[in-house]
Amino acid sequence: MLASISIAGLGIWLAIQFYRTKRFAPELVARKWPKAYGLLFHKYYVDEIYDATVVNRVKDLGSVLGTFDANVIDGLGVDGTGWLARFGSTLSMWWDKWVIDGLLNFGAKMTQLFSFPVRMLQTGMFSSYAMLILVGLVILLAYYGHHMQVLLRGVR
Amino acid sequence: MEFFAHHILTVVLFTPLAGALLLLFIPREMETAHRIAGNVFGVLGFLVSLPLIRWFNLNWGGFAFEESAEWIPSIGAKYHLGIDGISLLLVLLTTLLGMIAILSSWSAIHQRTKEYYILLLLLQTGMIGVFVSLDFFLFYVFWEVMLVPMYFLIGVWGSDRRLYAAIKFFLYTLAGSVVMLLAILALYFYAPVPAGHTRTFDVPTLLAAAQHFSDPLKVWLFWGFFFAFAIKVPMFPFHTWLPDAHTEAPTAGSVILAGVLLKMGTYGFIRFSLPLLPTDAAMRARIIHIVVILSIIGIVYGALVCLMQKDMKRLIAYSSVSHLGFCTLGIFALTPNGLAGSVLQQVNHGISTGALFLIVGVLYERRHTRMISDFGGLATPMPNFAAIYLIISLSSLGMPLLNGFIGEFTILQGAFQVSKAWAAWGTLGVVLGAAYLLWLYQRVMFGPVTHAINEKLPDLNLREYATLVPLVILAFWIGIYPKPFFAYLDKPVQKIVEQVNPRFYEAEHAKLPPAELHAAMPRTK
Amino acid sequence: MSIPFIDAIRGYLQGDGAVILPEMELTLFGLAVLLIGYPLDESVENNWFWKLLFKNFYAKAALAGTLFSGFTLWKLRGAVAASARGYLPGFHESVVVDSFFPFFATLFLAATALVILLSVKYLDIEEEQEGEYYALLLFACVGMMFMASGVDLIVMFLGLETMALSFYVLTGFLRREKRSNEASLKYVLLGAFSSGILAYGFSLIYGLSGTTNIRNISAVFNPRIGLARAIELSRQSGVMGSQMRQVLSAEYPAALHLEPSLLHQMPVLAAAAFVLIAVGLFFKVAAVPFHQWAPDVYEGAPTPVTTYVSVASKTASFALLLRLFLTVFAASQETWVYLIAGVAVASLTWGNLAALTQTNVKRLLAYSSIAHVGYILLGLVAWNETAFTGIAFYLLAYVFMTAGAFAVIIVLRQKGLIGEELEDLNGLYQRSPASALLLLIFMLSLAGIPPTAGFMGKYFIFLSLIETKHPVLAVFAVLYIVPALYYYFRIVVHAWLKAPGEAPRPVMSSAQAVALGVAVFVSLAAGLYPEPFTRLAHYAFGP
């Protein structure tokens, strides 16, 4: 306790001697013991050692990761997602336009196609109309006659 | 007053129709008179719906404000109206957006104004009718009736490809609804009739009877209803009428289409489809899987397509596909959170997307173009517009403190309780939503003014403020204090979940310590 | 004081005559229109009273005839309700007034009155204002009423031919118009052809049953077919055959020794008779594949006659068809149901798809009416109470909505403008908003969108199909609403959304306005408040 106080007191006294009263100039000490002065001036080189071993190494990693971020994560990941999204939306618009609307338009096309048989049968000629009536009659007769025959033979 | 109190739903339902009839008698040349009368009835329609909020009893689980009168006794169709909390919110959304849509058309419509307002008011009656009908026959009539005015709104006042869009909308929706007609008839026919009674179209009666149907019959009925609602919502892959109809419709038409019409589909799912789910666990799981997967595809797909749009209206239209995917996801999660969130999100979507269409309408009225590339840097000439647009964009993409967040969050919470994967896909939709909405905002509003013509665009005028500010206020209100809104939903949602997913509450209670269990028990009547 | 002649007439009118009084009145009015000429000089033009009486005298007289007949019919309906048996027979049960007859007769009279109202201006424009036209309309109506009240094959056939002959002449009434003449000739030749087929079917039934009265036929016919089937079964080996042999030897031993080939022919001949009769009537109602005359005749005939053919002739033929099918062929329904279903589906498909590409409104409506026949025939497939109510309701709705749609086309016919092409409708909304609105309502009703009469008709048909477990047919029928809406809305698009061309504003005469008013009233009322109409339709098939 006493020792530490006296060391501290000594330190304070020395500092006053050096910088306030200038009884000993620091330059004088530096000239007399240049090595000790350098060591003390650089605080035993702790910062430099720390910089060289830890700080700069972390910085290096950061810049590596930064590059990775810029090129890999952003490039492939974020922008890639953007690209994927654009691709996906192009694809889905394409789907909308061609597949779903296409199905609807297919219906319209079918309708257009269907107008041909209508026109073909709707000749306006009496004979063809009568013919179709006969054909229809025969089909119905054949169907119903057959149906009745089947019913008659029924349970065998 | 006495009459009003007892027939409030009738009054709410027919106020717009009365307006339409009145407009018939105003001579064709008096355009301003049509505008004033249309707006008066729009506001009136909203005002008469306000007492519903005060008079609605939050503790009453059944249908409120019921009215019933004979209509076609020989087939058992009645004039039966009634609402629960879910339909209440949707009715109010309809009357509010109807009023705003009518107000927004003041300077946008220059030809055939008389018919325009008549059709808007008719449409209003049709939509309210869908939400308040408790009779299948009546419901179907309103469901179909509403198509005709919408057809004309798109077909007469729409933009270039309006004829195509209008008939596409009509045919698409009709195809779904005729199949629904068959499902309704089958439900009507297969429901047992107590001795001494005639058959009925009464919704609660038929849905209660449907609980005792065989599972295959229920599945058939479910799909019969499904197509009508899925086309209306619209779910992937029945959505292709929507971009065309929304894009070609006039602003008010788009607002109504996105804000209200689409909700008729989700409303139908909640009211009619859920009770028709089969009891058999495997069959039910299969159906729910199909519907949920379609919803998720809708969410992601709609959002992706949005990214590529060059037309603002088309972009917002596709965003509806994505947002409505959330709503159906929430519904078919069959949890209280999912359902309540879904209904709230329907309201939110009405507010946000309605406002977005109004915003595009504002730009369209000034520039007569909807192409994103025709704009850029608009924040400089139109600062107030920029602020409102930003708030609405944020509300639509689900920013906390704004309404969209509450809805999406609750839905995702509900979906998470069922499947983590569903919630994960839903979240992807939220992220993409932020992307397309902010990108749109950036391209339209930020940067230097790219077209000289845009430099002197006037900022919002008073009427435009009047249309947008109420929606902004609502967006904040729901975002900051959604409790009063959820309060309307608690009872009906609990009732639905108890009916369609009874195991949910059992499972939830198993997780709670006994003391809390008692407090959390659903209060059964 | 009693004068024997008067007494004889009075006795007649209280007996057999009462049953055919509405028809008699119509005939008398028709004859009066034919025989009475009237002065047409300046004194008529200048005196308001003479003008009121004599301007368009023929039309007014014919209209009065339908009203008069309708009034008698109303009283007759009361007498039916009061009668002990629920129906009034006449002429040895060859004509019967039951609840079936007043319903259809009212439809025919209404259709006739609408057509008369629509014809006046049209004929003025065509410069063919002749008394014969109105007389023929009334005679056609008489024929139709006999088709609904006849329960004897001969009366039915006469009724059908009276109607058909009047129509042949009416179709060719525009003598100077080539299309009209061609249509008429086609109609005559094909009509005769189909009548021959029908008559052959009638003769087969007569041969099989030995009577022409359909009540007796069904009493004799079906047991005989049953007996034939029983004998046929008894000839077979196995348990069934031996049981049948025992039953027959106990009850009808002679049957065991009958000529087998004859017996075998009986049901097959009955089937042939059914097919022949069905084909004859399918031709009249224009069901696929016997429909081909319809578009040509519809297009060529004067539009009011087109209306009449499309509306009344179809309804009357359905009345006849229903009367026969519900009695003579009722027992064998399950054997012919597939045949009807096939024809119905063919009609729906062909009618709807062919209508999609038409550009002439009359032709388009012709194809659409073929599709409507498909829906009505589906009611026969379902074959229950709902279905019969549905058929009656559908026919009722069909009469008014189709008449209304054609009426708008008739209004469009102006001097120097045919107005039948889709292009002629362009901008109708700007030229005449009222006609455009009416057209929209009729199109919605034809397509079957609520709340209109057409929807209610379809509602009953669909419900009956579901009730009788025909879900596939129901889905099929219901989905055809979508293409139907598309082609009906092509008309709407031209009328509402296309810019008007040079065409003048159509001017509606007051008679046309009345006709359109009635048509739109029924089309909307039967959709908004269908109760009285459903009761009426229900009443048609027995109280």
Side-chain angles (χ1 to χ4, degrees):
Chain A
M1 168 88 167
L2 196 70
S4 60
I5 287 175
S6 56
I7 288 172
L10 179 73
I12 289 167
W13 178 80
L14 268 174
I16 289 171
Q17 294 303 314
F18 268 103
Y19 296 101
R20 186 53 74 78
T21 62
K22 314 266 178 166
R23 191 166 296 166
F24 321 105
E27 296 79 26
L28 216 77
V29 181
R31 229 177 295 133
K32 244 184 198 161
W33 302 289
K35 283 220 172 113
Y37 181 80
L39 183 71
L40 283 176
F41 185 79
H42 286 111
K43 292 155 274 173
Y44 315 102
Y45 293 97
V46 170
D47 280 358
E48 278 73 8
I49 294 167
Y50 194 67
D51 267 6
T53 53
V54 181
V55 177
N56 285 348
R57 298 289 75 77
V58 173
K59 273 190 183 167
D60 285 352
L61 183 68
S63 72
V64 168
L65 284 183
T67 323
F68 181 78
D69 237 27
N71 296 322
V72 182
I73 298 199
D74 263 17
L76 279 182
V78 179
D79 287 357
T81 313
W83 177 85
L84 205 70
R86 275 199 300 282
F87 175 74
S89 52
T90 317
L91 199 71
S92 35
M93 275 171 67
W94 182 87
W95 167 270
D96 261 17
K97 190 167 170 189
W98 295 103
V99 180
I100 294 185
D101 275 10
L103 276 176
L104 294 176
N105 296 336
F106 178 72
K109 280 275 177 307
M110 285 305 289
T111 317
Q112 295 281 321
L113 273 181
F114 192 78
S115 71
F116 283 110
V118 171
R119 261 181 246 149
M120 223 172 73
L121 282 179
Q122 201 75 40
T123 52
M125 309 285 285
F126 159 75
S127 52
S128 72
Y129 292 4
M131 192 64 205
L132 194 79
I133 292 180
L134 267 187
V135 170
L137 177 64
V138 169
I139 292 173
L140 293 193
L141 269 179
Y143 167 75
Y144 200 33
H146 175 73
H147 189 70
M148 288 308 275
Q149 294 269 354
V150 171
L151 275 185
L152 280 175
R153 301 228 175 82
V155 205
R156 225 178 247 282
Chain B
M1 203 60 209
E2 185 74 2
F3 175 84
F4 180 58
H6 285 103
H7 298 88
I8 181 164
L9 285 182
T10 303
V11 174
V12 171
L13 177 58
F14 289 115
T15 301
L17 186 69
L21 288 179
L22 184 86
L23 269 163
L24 271 181
F25 296 105
I26 301 179
R28 184 168 307 279
E29 298 74 33
M30 301 168 65
E31 293 201 352
T32 317
H34 297 140
R35 294 202 172 108
I36 293 173
N39 277 290
V40 164
F41 275 92
V43 173
L44 207 60
F46 179 60
L47 289 182
V48 292
S49 70
L50 286 179
L52 290 176
I53 305 173
R54 282 219 37 94
W55 296 346
F56 191 83
N57 181 358
L58 292 177
N59 296 320
W60 168 246
F63 288 102
F65 310 114
E66 273 194 86
E67 291 174 39
S68 186
E70 290 293 345
W71 180 26
I72 321 174
S74 55
I75 62 170
K78 279 201 253 171
Y79 174 76
H80 186 188
L81 309 181
I83 54 172
D84 61 1
I86 296 171
S87 24
L88 175 84
L89 287 187
L90 293 173
V91 167
L92 287 171
L93 179 73
T94 311
T95 54
L96 174 72
L97 281 181
M99 176 180 79
I100 288 176
I102 290 174
L103 183 59
S104 77
S105 334
W106 187 282
S107 57
I109 302 300
H110 295 291
Q111 47 151 348
R112 301 199 200 177
T113 42
K114 177 179 177 175
E115 293 74 16
Y116 180 81
Y117 285 104
I118 290 178
L119 289 172
L120 265 184
L121 289 167
L122 278 181
L123 183 63
Q124 189 77 352
T125 291
M127 293 182 306
I128 299 174
V130 167
F131 293 131
V132 300
S133 301
L134 283 185
D135 183 278
F136 270 113
F137 201 87
L138 193 64
F139 168 79
Y140 186 76
V141 169
F142 281 121
W143 180 274
E144 293 271 276
V145 150
M146 171 234 88
L147 296 178
V148 182
M150 199 67 223
Y151 169 83
F152 281 106
L153 280 177
I154 301 173
V156 179
W157 294 275
S159 33
D160 306 337
R161 291 177 32 179
R162 55 179 182 268
L163 289 185
Y164 169 76
I167 197 72
K168 192 172 176 184
F169 161 75
F170 204 147
L171 294 184
Y172 235 116
T173 328
L174 188 68
S177 45
V178 290
V179 178
M180 174 172 77
L181 173 64
L182 283 190
I184 291 177
L185 291 180
L187 192 58
Y188 170 70
F189 170 65
Y190 283 105
V193 184
H197 286 67
T198 46
R199 282 196 206 147
T200 174
F201 275 106
D202 191 58
V203 169
T205 316
L206 286 187
L207 290 181
Q211 298 313 306
H212 308 292
F213 286 179
S214 70
D215 274 346
L217 178 61
K218 274 178 160 180
V219 171
W220 278 108
L221 288 174
F222 179 88
W223 289 118
F225 277 99
F226 177 81
F227 287 107
F229 300 144
I231 288 174
K232 203 72 158 195
V233 166
M235 289 181 85
F236 180 88
F238 307 109
H239 63 277
T240 56
W241 65 268
L242 179 132
D244 285 309
H246 279 49
T247 313
E248 303 304 322
T251 303
S254 311
V255 171
I256 300 270
L257 259 175
V260 185
L261 237 77
L262 308 188
K263 277 70 189 189
M264 289 164 51
T266 41
Y267 171 76
F269 276 137
I270 297 177
R271 176 79 75 235
F272 307 120
S273 290
L274 290 188
L276 292 175
L277 282 171
T279 347
D280 179 64
M283 280 168 124
R284 165 191 292 247
R286 204 177 313 138
I287 287 180
I288 287 181
H289 244 88
I290 295 172
V291 181
V292 164
I293 286 173
L294 286 181
S295 305
I296 288 172
I297 294 179
I299 294 175
V300 177
Y301 176 91
L304 286 178
V305 178
C306 277
L307 287 170
M308 287 305 289
Q309 296 306 318
K310 299 181 182 71
D311 181 322
M312 295 172 77
K313 258 186 145 177
R314 235 182 147 73
L315 190 152
I316 299 165
Y318 270 112
S319 83
S320 294
V321 177
S322 182
H323 283 135
L324 267 295
F326 276 105
C327 295
T328 42
L329 174 66
I331 292 169
F332 284 91
L334 298 184
T335 55
N337 276 338
L339 270 167
S342 171
V343 178
L344 193 71
Q345 182 63 5
Q346 288 166 34
V347 176
N348 292 337
H349 176 259
I351 292 169
S352 316
T353 309
L356 279 175
F357 275 122
L358 286 173
I359 279 163
V360 179
V362 166
L363 289 180
Y364 187 78
E365 241 179 85
R366 284 161 174 66
R367 286 277 278 110
H368 294 282
T369 172
R370 299 179 309 251
M371 289 298 141
I372 298 170
S373 53
D374 287 335
F375 298 104
L378 290 189
T380 323
M382 306 171 77
N384 298 336
F385 173 75
I388 288 188
Y389 182 12
L390 182 66
I391 295 172
I392 296 297
S393 283
L394 294 178
S395 125
S396 184
L397 64 85
M399 175 89 165
L401 282 190
L402 285 164
N403 57 350
F405 173 73
I406 306 291
E408 282 173 1
F409 184 81
T410 323
I411 291 175
L412 291 177
Q413 203 182 352
F416 191 84
Q417 286 169 311
V418 184
S419 154
K420 294 184 179 58
W422 295 0
W425 282 104
T427 318
L428 177 64
V430 180
V431 174
L432 287 172
Y436 62 76
L437 280 166
L438 289 179
W439 194 30
L440 172 69
Y441 188 82
Q442 180 203 331
R443 283 181 289 173
V444 173
M445 304 306 289
F446 288 158
V449 181
T450 44
H451 297 263
I453 191 172
N454 289 340
E455 270 167 21
K456 292 200 188 65
L457 287 186
D459 209 337
L460 296 176
N461 63 30
L462 200 61
R463 184 179 53 80
E464 286 158 352
Y465 276 123
T467 58
L468 285 167
V469 167
L471 297 177
V472 170
I473 294 174
L474 267 177
F476 273 112
W477 183 7
I478 299 180
I480 294 168
Y481 189 60
K483 197 171 161 229
F485 294 88
F486 279 123
Y488 287 100
L489 298 176
D490 281 345
K491 273 282 167 187
V493 161
Q494 180 191 319
K495 207 174 133 195
I496 293 169
V497 175
E498 271 171 32
Q499 188 193 351
V500 300
N501 192 9
R503 278 192 230 134
F504 175 81
Y505 283 115
E506 292 164 20
E508 284 298 291
H509 297 151
K511 294 180 197 162
L512 293 175
E516 286 173 45
L517 178 65
H518 185 70
M521 279 292 267
R523 270 154 287 166
T524 41
K525 291 173 288 294
Chain C
M1 192 180 76
S2 89
I3 303 166
F5 177 65
I6 301 281
D7 282 348
I9 289 183
R10 190 177 293 147
Y12 178 71
L13 286 182
Q14 278 160 1
D16 285 344
V19 178
I20 59 162
L21 197 54
E23 288 96 327
M24 283 205 295
E25 284 167 7
L26 269 189
T27 317
L28 287 175
F29 269 92
L31 287 175
V33 168
L34 266 187
L35 295 178
I36 298 175
Y38 62 88
L40 240 187
D41 53 23
E42 288 194 3
S43 62
V44 171
E45 288 292 321
N46 294 335
N47 181 314
W48 68 268
F49 178 75
W50 291 122
K51 200 173 166 183
L52 189 73
L53 188 63
F54 283 127
K55 186 106 195 289
N56 298 322
F57 169 77
Y58 298 135
K60 280 173 187 158
L63 197 60
T66 57
L67 293 177
F68 219 89
S69 176
F71 180 67
T72 314
L73 194 66
W74 179 255
K75 289 207 300 192
L76 205 54
R77 182 178 164 274
V80 173
S83 65
R85 282 184 287 180
Y87 65 92
L88 301 171
F91 301 98
H92 302 285
E93 298 234 357
S94 62
V95 175
V96 150
V97 175
D98 47 9
S99 59
F100 186 83
F101 171 67
F103 177 81
F104 280 97
T106 312
L107 284 188
F108 304 149
L109 286 172
T112 313
L114 286 179
V115 171
I116 292 170
L117 285 171
L118 292 171
S119 300
V120 180
K121 196 182 170 197
Y122 191 89
L123 292 185
D124 274 343
I125 292 169
E126 298 286 356
E127 294 169 358
E128 293 278 5
Q129 195 70 263
E130 310 282 352
E132 290 85 345
Y133 178 88
Y134 297 101
L136 282 168
L137 287 183
L138 294 190
F139 293 152
C141 187
V142 171
M144 292 183 235
M145 285 162 89
F146 276 117
M147 285 162 80
S149 69
V151 285
D152 189 282
L153 293 181
I154 293 173
V155 174
M156 288 171 150
F157 193 73
L158 284 178
L160 183 85
E161 285 304 295
T162 311
M163 176 193 79
L165 286 173
S166 312
F167 275 134
Y168 301 151
V169 182
L170 283 170
T171 305
F173 206 76
L174 304 180
R175 286 166 299 169
R176 288 179 290 265
E177 180 113 17
K178 232 179 116 187
R179 277 196 311 176
S180 177
N181 291 325
E182 188 191 328
S184 174
L185 188 62
K186 238 180 246 176
Y187 198 11
V188 173
L189 292 173
L190 289 168
F193 190 54
S194 75
S195 293
I197 295 173
L198 183 70
Y200 190 20
F202 280 180
S203 70
L204 274 183
I205 306 190
Y206 173 68
L208 290 171
S209 61
T211 167
T212 55
N213 184 301
I214 60 168
R215 279 162 203 259
N216 296 340
I217 293 172
S218 33
V220 174
F221 202 46
N222 293 321
R224 278 202 193 167
I225 293 174
L227 180 65
R229 288 186 65 183
I231 296 172
E232 179 68 25
L233 281 176
S234 73
R235 306 253 159 107
Q236 290 168 5
S237 52
V239 185
M240 191 83 169
S242 64
Q243 279 178 357
M244 201 51 87
R245 264 197 298 284
Q246 283 170 12
V247 172
L248 275 183
S249 59
E251 290 187 3
Y252 190 39
L256 294 173
H257 308 290
L258 284 173
E259 177 62 40
S261 65
L262 262 180
L263 280 172
H264 202 79
Q265 279 165 8
M266 174 86 180
V268 176
L269 280 179
F274 172 82
V275 170
L276 290 166
I277 290 172
V279 167
L281 291 172
F282 284 163
F283 173 84
K284 289 282 175 225
V285 300
V288 173
F290 313 103
H291 65 284
Q292 286 193 298
W293 60 276
D296 293 5
V297 169
Y298 278 34
E299 193 189 348
T303 317
V305 176
T306 309
T307 316
Y308 206 31
V309 172
S310 148
V311 160
S313 148
K314 196 163 281 194
T315 316
S317 309
F318 261 114
L320 182 54
L321 187 147
L322 285 168
R323 183 77 95 176
L324 278 174
F325 281 21
L326 280 168
T327 50
V328 176
F329 299 113
S332 51
Q333 199 260 350
E334 62 201 31
T335 65
W336 51 256
V337 60
Y338 294 104
L339 196 141
I340 299 283
V343 172
V345 168
S347 301
L348 276 175
T349 309
W350 197 265
N352 276 320
L353 294 185
L356 284 172
T357 51
Q358 300 302 319
T359 53
N360 180 297
V361 181
K362 279 159 84 178
R363 276 189 97 81
L364 194 156
L365 288 175
Y367 281 111
S368 97
S369 78
I370 293 169
H372 284 295
V373 169
Y375 283 113
I376 299 172
L377 287 178
L378 283 181
L380 284 178
V381 173
W383 197 261
N384 64 4
E385 204 184 330
T386 317
F388 297 136
T389 310
I391 292 172
F393 198 105
Y394 204 112
L395 285 170
L396 187 152
Y398 176 80
V399 165
F400 288 94
M401 64 199 186
T402 312
F406 277 116
V408 177
I409 308 302
I410 292 170
V411 170
L412 281 178
R413 174 78 172 102
Q414 303 287 326
K415 268 235 159 6
L417 176 74
I418 306 279
E420 292 170 4
E421 295 295 319
L422 275 174
E423 302 295 327
D424 296 334
L425 283 167
N426 279 3
L428 179 64
Y429 173 73
Q430 278 90 348
R431 293 189 277 141
S432 162
S435 333
L437 182 63
L438 292 171
L439 189 65
L440 172 66
I441 293 171
F442 295 130
M443 290 303 134
L444 287 175
S445 185
L446 284 167
I449 305 292
T452 54
F455 167 70
M456 285 307 296
K458 289 198 170 68
Y459 158 84
F460 282 114
I461 301 288
F462 297 151
L463 180 61
S464 68
L465 284 173
I466 285 182
E467 284 175 349
T468 51
K469 313 268 159 55
H470 290 103
V472 179
L473 276 181
V475 170
F476 206 75
V478 107
L479 283 178
Y480 268 124
I481 291 182
V482 179
L485 185 103
Y486 178 74
Y487 61 73
Y488 288 127
F489 262 58
R490 278 180 68 207
I491 297 181
V492 172
V493 163
H494 278 274
W496 282 75
L497 307 179
K498 296 265 159 116
E502 302 289 292
R505 287 173 65 92
V507 186
M508 206 186 282
S509 75
S510 48
Q512 288 169 341
V514 171
L516 275 167
V518 171
V520 82
F521 173 77
V522 177
S523 300
L524 276 181
L528 283 170
Y529 188 63
E531 183 64 20
F533 298 92
T534 49
R535 281 176 198 276
L536 201 64
H538 198 257
Y539 163 81
F541 287 91

